[in-house]
Amino acid sequence: MKKIRYAVVGAGWISQEAFMPGVSQTENSNISAIVSGSIDKARMLADFHTVPHVYSYEQYDEMLAADVCDAVYVALPNSMHADFTIRAARAGKHILVEKPLATSLEDGTAMVAAAEENGVFLVTAYRLHNEQGTVDVLERIRAGEIGDPRIFSAVFSFMPDPDNHRLKAGHWGGPLQDVGVYCLNAVRHVFGEEPVEVTAVRSHGDNNPMFSDVEESIAVTLSFPHGRLAQFIASFGANSKDCYTVVGTKGSLTLDPAFRFETPTTLQRRNDDSFAFETFMHTDHFAGQVSYFSDCIVNGTLPEPDGGEGLADMRALLAIEKAAETGQAQKIDTPPRPSHPDRSMVRAFPTTKKRLLL
């Protein structure tokens, strides 16, 4: 079996905790290089994960020019996504880039164009598109199990360390971009449509210096075609919680937990005459995501969560920000997506405890 070789660009927490351990669980992927701002730490990770090549950020173009990888995983602060993605595309490398795709529509559009012009795949890292519980909810809704889906409600909160780059406005940090994007992406596929208008309110907390640069919490209301409504709250100032509920004309579905990779998704189904729980097998989300992307590369199949998927969320994220800043409702104009996550994209791999955190 052909294995797709990945260069990990940015060896921070998400790479150490989730991506690198996940790749080791797959059969069609491996890690061939690490690009990092700390060569010493990168070499320790390379030794632990048996990765043959280590490069500094200054050596990125050298790495791209060498035959050491087929694809890159970009796990850098949001403000750096565009530069490292475009350079990889021009070098003929496929790209898996963490969300949000970029910090502006101009950069996001340039990333998509660079991938298309150079004949490579650009995928936004929506790992839940390959997770069985998430896809099961979408399949149930499409099958009419809860009738016409009318209402969506979600909460995603956790408390980051005070020195985390997610708290820096210069990197387009904040709870909306970091965890609110999960709620936004979920409802777009739950309804199978794009939002058309948004209002939002943000809070900077109770004089907490952690939130001098970005908001503590943001509450969002989205209008969709056919009168459907969605609300979510994303927060860096409350205890860990990740869940969403979809209420239709004949019942409701709740995933709780819904978004985090550390816990299995659990589904609550409620109809007029029935109530049931189902906990899905806890799988490695990152292994599933990488395995799916590698399958697409090997088979020449267009991946579903492409750069356009990232742009769709970006249009809404930017409109949400403007709505919160101005106190005025903002219109959103995004073309319908050609496809949505389905069962053919699910990849199930066991979790692993083999990881090195530095």
Side-chain angles (χ1 to χ4, degrees):
M1 175 184 291
K2 176 178 174 58
K3 288 194 174 186
I4 299 301
R5 302 168 300 167
Y6 286 82
V8 173
V9 186
W13 181 82
I14 197 65
S15 293
Q16 296 175 27
E17 174 71 24
F19 184 82
M20 298 180 75
V23 172
S24 70
Q25 298 296 91
T26 70
E27 298 176 348
N28 62 358
S29 315
N30 62 29
I31 300 171
S32 57
I34 299 174
V35 182
S36 174
S38 173
I39 292 295
D40 290 341
K41 288 185 177 180
R43 288 198 176 109
M44 294 173 65
L45 289 166
D47 289 343
F48 184 81
H49 290 284
T50 318
V51 177
H53 302 285
V54 171
Y55 297 87
S56 67
Y57 290 140
E58 292 74 21
Q59 295 173 305
Y60 184 56
D61 291 323
E62 175 187 335
M63 187 279 295
L64 293 173
D67 183 22
V68 299
C69 72
D70 307 300
V72 298
Y73 169 61
V74 179
L76 297 164
N78 300 335
S79 60
M80 301 170 71
H81 286 184
D83 177 36
F84 281 77
T85 293
I86 291 170
R87 288 156 70 186
R90 290 173 177 167
K93 308 301 181 184
H94 302 285
I95 309 107
L96 175 64
V97 59
E98 274 299 340
K99 56 205 163 300
L101 180 66
T103 59
S104 71
L105 286 177
E106 292 78 11
D107 279 351
T109 301
M111 293 161 70
V112 172
E116 292 177 348
E117 290 166 3
N118 292 279
V120 298
F121 292 152
L122 167 61
V123 162
T124 314
Y126 292 109
R127 55 181 168 76
L128 290 168
H129 289 208
N130 310 109
E131 192 273 326
Q132 54 188 343
T134 300
V135 174
D136 186 79
V137 167
L138 299 180
E139 297 274 342
R140 289 177 185 275
I141 292 170
R142 291 169 195 151
E145 188 169 301
I146 61 169
D148 180 19
R150 305 300 302 164
I151 301 168
F152 175 95
S153 177
V155 173
F156 197 169
S157 62
F158 82 102
M159 302 174 73
D161 293 332
D163 59 349
N164 195 294
H165 67 82
R166 293 175 176 86
L167 296 168
K168 304 300 181 184
H171 289 309
W172 205 39
L176 173 63
Q177 295 82 354
D178 192 60
V179 293
V181 67
Y182 286 91
C183 308
L184 172 62
N185 191 260
V187 69
R188 290 179 44 247
H189 294 292
V190 161
F191 287 158
E193 296 176 316
E194 299 300 327
V196 295
E197 188 174 80
V198 63
T199 58
V201 177
R202 58 167 53 132
S203 166
H204 282 271
D206 188 16
N207 298 317
N208 188 332
M210 278 182 60
F211 304 114
S212 59
D213 219 20
V214 301
E215 67 269 15
E216 176 193 291
S217 306
I218 187 164
V220 178
T221 299
L222 293 155
S223 299
F224 282 79
H226 311 295
R228 292 169 174 153
L229 292 175
Q231 292 184 316
F232 69 81
I233 293 179
S235 178
F236 280 165
N239 194 246
S240 294
K241 182 68 176 177
D242 60 300
C243 63
Y244 71 80
T245 295
V246 187
V247 184
T249 53
K250 296 181 180 179
S252 65
L253 298 168
T254 296
L255 273 185
D256 184 2
F259 302 121
R260 297 185 70 105
F261 61 83
E262 299 94 336
T263 51
T265 50
T266 298
L267 175 64
Q268 173 188 305
R269 294 175 288 152
R270 184 188 295 270
N271 295 93
D272 291 339
D273 56 354
S274 66
F275 184 86
F277 283 96
E278 180 179 356
T279 297
F280 294 91
M281 181 176 69
H282 189 195
T283 59
D284 192 307
H285 294 191
F286 286 77
Q289 173 181 247
V290 172
S291 177
Y292 168 75
F293 188 31
S294 292
D295 281 345
C296 290
I297 294 171
V298 170
N299 297 323
T301 304
L302 290 173
E304 177 271 330
D306 58 11
E309 173 73 353
L311 282 176
D313 275 337
M314 280 198 64
R315 289 187 189 96
L317 290 173
L318 291 166
I320 292 167
E321 274 201 331
K322 190 171 182 180
E325 290 168 1
T326 64
Q328 301 294 318
Q330 301 295 314
K331 299 292 186 182
I332 305 171
D333 185 14
T334 295
R337 289 290 295 155
S339 61
H340 300 277
D342 60 41
R343 199 164 298 279
S344 71
M345 296 169 54
V346 173
R347 302 289 188 276
F349 294 90
T351 59
T352 178
K353 294 182 179 179
K354 184 183 178 182
R355 53 180 46 81
L356 175 64
L357 299 178
L358 300 176

